[in-house]
């Protein structure tokens, strides 16, 4: 299916747009370095609804219905650093849902929905199999001083909101009660994605591939936990609505960083298809 | 490379996000119907610069350096009509550059760069091989009455502007002088795209495929022509800057519609790779 | 209260920012010329709720509870024409609510809420007493050709949506059934506004002044009417929610233009205060 | 000029929109509490250009041409706290220019231009006399961990960019070299503003009033300084362009908070007009 060779004649690039030097590519090639601030709320959803989002080869695992809502603000940089000088390019906010699952015989997480407020991270998501859509995502940034904050201290309150097409999707809050040693479970496991690129030339089929992201340089900063609220909008419809909380658990506010290098095929999947 | 079967178990959809019913797909499956208002300026660019954007199998043709800048406002609908009730979903604005070329022995156009102000059309562009990026695109809409207009009459002035990351890319204007029978040449030929989906799982190569879009139900409304201006921003850098105008030609303002059904491999390309 | 004289030394301008030449003013001085496309739905709201939005000197009149929801896309120009070349400046979309009322012994309309998607029109609204807030407003533009349209013909469907802070406010649709000779009543009467500029220097009171807008060069293009829907979002709260429809009337789609020149004090109000 | 009494009949509110309960006001009444992160670059501009922006009663002072470019990200809260739960309402980014000056016989600063990315802070600016326009403003947020950061340590690099209508206004960077005890001079003096509300009802004159903001609860967090860059866009035109840097000084990155309570007339100005 590959019709142009890297290094061959013609325009080139890691992604569209291809151009003579390759520099016009919307997405710069991995690895990508991320530094983030995260507001995360653990919750439980209907186990049958969650299971219906898992592809063959991925199972609900020992704790069906375990889920989390994650709001994050990211600063990212590629190896070339070409985005580094422009905060409009190097930062974005994200809201995503995680479902607990088991694959390759160990705990993983599946992301059924994600929204970002910037188009390059959206496209980069599709490359990895993260189902990122474009939305409006806002979360409170910690402040060091002042009467309004919010501050990373006991009693500090952090909020996240997400919308798409001018309609609310979800909102969450966490009121800090103290520091903890361990990150929330669903933020400490690999993510298993379906890389899916739609069909266009009949009778070709879509590219569809179960992959696990290869991540290193993982670091957590201070991890705060506390009481949380999480609400999906009342007028949500369809498949997404089935993942609404039936019980809200603990909340977390923490710093996190990683380097995302590439994907690998889910073990036992390479020969299928 | 196909690991999940359409109709098989697990979440589904024409695009990500996959979901139990398939309704969550960001992009609804083709065909897609488009009705648009277009402001188009013909121009000439450096022939060598233009040639460097053409992939093997596509040649500059008999008129090297022929180019056009196209601003368009689109209303679109898929067969399901699921977007029809929300103007925030069913409309978008676009700015793109076209280069004249020859493929399969006949005149075609190549789109080296395009920007849209909505994420679903951006993703849909990637599916077809249109190198759509996210930008701010504004063009004046014709008005029926009033002292400011603009009106589709002799002397009416139409403007388009495009920006990305808060920096201007290009601006154009057309002052109408009269109606013409024929659309501008580069809007009347097929588009030849490179469908390109980046590599993620080493050592796999990117999907890269020369395709032509299959379009029908093409209609033009009134076609107006007139004197045009076209300016690329002074601080543009890199490969895009090489396509700036060396001479500005005529301008056109017209209505246009089409139905985009699927792609087909460029003739003579199917066996390569 | 006037401490700097127009024409005196120091920076100047019709509005902030003041600058040496006066050209930096965010709002250019009136008159302002407007050409627009309007989607309007008549409805009835609770008469007591509507009356509570009327200031002294303005009465509910003979048809209490008469109201309308108006979506409009505007092209505007000031006398200097300084915005004319930039569609990002010369166009905006608006959603507003109108309440029928009587003042100076004749029918007028009161606008309790309005939203625009551009900051200069918002500021210009405050100057006149239009309570414009910033929101996301989208309405379908008529198209001349194509399978999706929408077209200004019998059966054509036009939509409007409005949101603020990522939450839906209202949505409306009109399905055209035919042309009519008369515009909807609430679009054919003067608007009575409260020009209100908040207090800042204690113990000064806010500027607050009942005014009527002085408009001329009014023109209507084709006026279409048809069946309408209008929904306020289910989770709307507070004073705005009290104005929700109890009955939805007819819908209208039309072109309209006017020149807005200045305001005048409501008759009988000049000596008060 | 005051025609409606606070507490009297009719709709009410600190600002438009007025409503029965007063809760619909776009701007909630002061005091307003602010917690912010600031990237600030000192620079020198043409002294004559700067002087032309000062109103009568305000002088260039002992250091004519002293100026600063300030990028800030703010979290704010009013006494009611009604915005606190929505990060889309409680946060905004700002870019402004400050000019050194003298008024009431002591050092102050004058803000000739400011841009914010949120409409309520823009309107609140007008109430105080801050000439805030609507723009796209982005600045890098400090991160606690990771390979990209940026981190509040020696060598950390912070960036700010500002645009309006899709055109760049300015960009700045600061590379941290160490902590300092004192904030930059122009961030430690009062601001003298012209509260200016345009005329609308002839022959009334605009409200125009020289005021000083009354601020308390001022706190600085860590103050870092370092080498800075500052560029105004090459195609800037008009009065703003006259304030471009002729020399770039030091850069600062710091946390800051204040409570803004009200304004007071500039001493010696109350009886004028």
């Amino acid at each position: 299916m590959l019709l142009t060779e890297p290094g061959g004649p013609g325009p080139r690039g890691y992604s569209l747009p291809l151009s003579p030097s390759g520099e016009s590519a919307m997405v710069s090639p991995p690895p990508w370095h991320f530094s983030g601030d995260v507001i995360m709320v653990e919750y439980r959803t209907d186990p049958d609804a969650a299971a219906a989002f898992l592809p063959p080869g991925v199972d609900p695992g020992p704790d069906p219905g375990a889920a989390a809502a994650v709001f994050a603000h990211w600063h990212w940089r590629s190896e070339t650093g070409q985005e580094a000088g422009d905060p409009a390019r190097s930062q974005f906010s994200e809201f995503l849902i995680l479902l607990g699952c088991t694959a390759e015989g160990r705990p993983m997480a599946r992301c059924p929905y994600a929204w970002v407020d910037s188009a390059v991270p959206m496209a980069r998501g599709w490359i990895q199999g993260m189902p990122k859509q474009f939305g409006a995502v806002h979360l409170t940034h910690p402040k060091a001083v002042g009467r309004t904050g919010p501050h990373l201290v006991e009693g500090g309150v952090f909020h996240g909101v997400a919308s798409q097409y001018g309609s609310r999707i979800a909102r969450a809050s966490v009121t800090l009660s103290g520091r903890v040693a361990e990150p929330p479970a669903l933020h400490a496991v690999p993510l298993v994605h379906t890389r899916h690129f739609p069909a266009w030339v009949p009778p070709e089929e879509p590219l569809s591939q179960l992959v696990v992201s290869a991540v290193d340089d993982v670091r957590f900063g201070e991890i705060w936990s506390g009481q949380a609220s999480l609400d999906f909008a009342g007028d949500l419809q369809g498949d997404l609505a089935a993942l609404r909380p039936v019980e809200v658990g603990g909340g977390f506010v923490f710093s996190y960083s990683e380097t995302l290098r590439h994907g690998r095929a889910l073990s036992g999947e390479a020969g299928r298809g």
Side-chain angles (χ1 to χ4, degrees), chain A residues 49-270:
Chain A
F53 278 89
L54 302 182
V58 180
D59 300 308
D63 188 17
V70 183
F71 293 87
H73 179 266
W74 297 106
H75 189 280
W76 69 276
R77 185 171 56 79
S78 63
E79 292 288 279
T80 64
Q82 66 189 65
E83 312 80 5
D86 185 349
R89 298 179 67 182
S90 64
Q91 297 181 126
F92 66 99
S93 293
E94 182 174 48
F95 167 62
L96 56 84
I97 296 171
L98 294 177
L99 303 174
C101 62
T102 296
E104 297 181 340
R106 59 177 173 144
M108 292 200 185
R110 174 78 175 179
C111 173
Y113 293 99
W115 289 265
V116 287
D117 61 1
S118 184
V120 168
M122 188 188 92
R124 195 170 47 204
W126 285 43
I127 294 169
Q128 321 160 40
M130 282 277 276
K132 295 191 184 186
Q133 299 181 76
F134 195 88
V137 180
H138 297 269
L139 60 164
T140 35
H141 294 261
K143 294 297 179 196
V145 292
R147 292 184 60 177
T148 185
H151 305 305
L152 281 167
V153 297
E154 188 183 332
V157 187
F158 289 77
H159 295 275
V161 294
S163 299
Q164 187 177 21
Y165 299 123
S167 285
R168 178 76 69 225
I169 300 167
R171 58 193 316 155
S173 71
V174 178
T175 303
L176 307 186
S177 57
R179 289 181 58 180
V180 294
E182 293 300 319
L186 286 179
H187 210 282
V189 294
L191 294 173
V192 54
H193 297 309
T194 303
R195 236 165 86 76
H196 180 98
F197 192 62
W200 181 240
V201 177
E204 293 180 3
E205 297 289 346
L207 180 156
S208 192
Q209 189 177 30
L210 272 181
V211 296
V212 181
S213 298
V215 164
D216 59 20
D217 279 335
V218 169
R219 288 198 53 196
F220 284 87
E222 291 186 5
I223 305 172
W224 288 80
S225 72
Q227 195 162 15
S229 72
L230 173 66
D231 296 290
F232 281 32
D235 57 356
L236 272 189
Q237 301 278 328
D239 291 352
L240 168 58
L243 297 180
R244 67 172 68 248
V246 295
E247 184 186 336
V248 177
F252 297 85
V253 174
F254 55 94
S255 299
Y256 172 83
S257 65
E258 66 175 35
T259 293
L260 179 52
R261 297 202 170 273
H262 56 77
R264 62 169 179 79
L266 191 70
S267 180
E269 293 294 314

